[in-house]
Amino acid sequence: MGATSRFLTLKAFCEELQVAKSTFYDWCAKGRAPRHIKLPNGEIRIRRSDLDAWLESREVAA
């Protein structure tokens, strides 16, 4: 698996979940965002595995 598929940009994350970047930053402020990496240039990356685990942790039983 290549690096491009292992890590999502913030833009790709927001597009996939259909949320605004401001929503992501709000989740960060509230401690509810998925684990992510802040690069030295300030850009954010989210590991695909962290996103998948975060989504699974939010599943609601029917």
Side-chain angles (χ1 to χ4, degrees):
M1 190 178 280
T4 55
S5 59
R6 283 185 40 215
F7 294 92
L8 294 168
T9 62
L10 180 55
K11 180 180 178 185
F13 168 84
C14 290
E15 287 174 355
E16 187 168 323
L17 270 68
Q18 298 179 342
V19 298
K21 285 183 183 180
S22 60
T23 301
F24 174 81
Y25 289 118
D26 182 54
W27 290 344
C28 287
K30 294 176 180 174
R32 296 180 180 169
R35 288 178 44 148
H36 54 281
I37 300 164
K38 189 169 187 179
L39 300 175
N41 64 1
E43 291 185 18
I44 292 175
R45 296 291 184 270
I46 299 140
R47 284 185 188 92
R48 169 59 65 184
S49 58
D50 288 335
L51 173 57
D52 292 342
W54 180 77
L55 289 171
E56 284 181 23
S57 74
R58 272 138 188 84
E59 285 184 11
V60 177

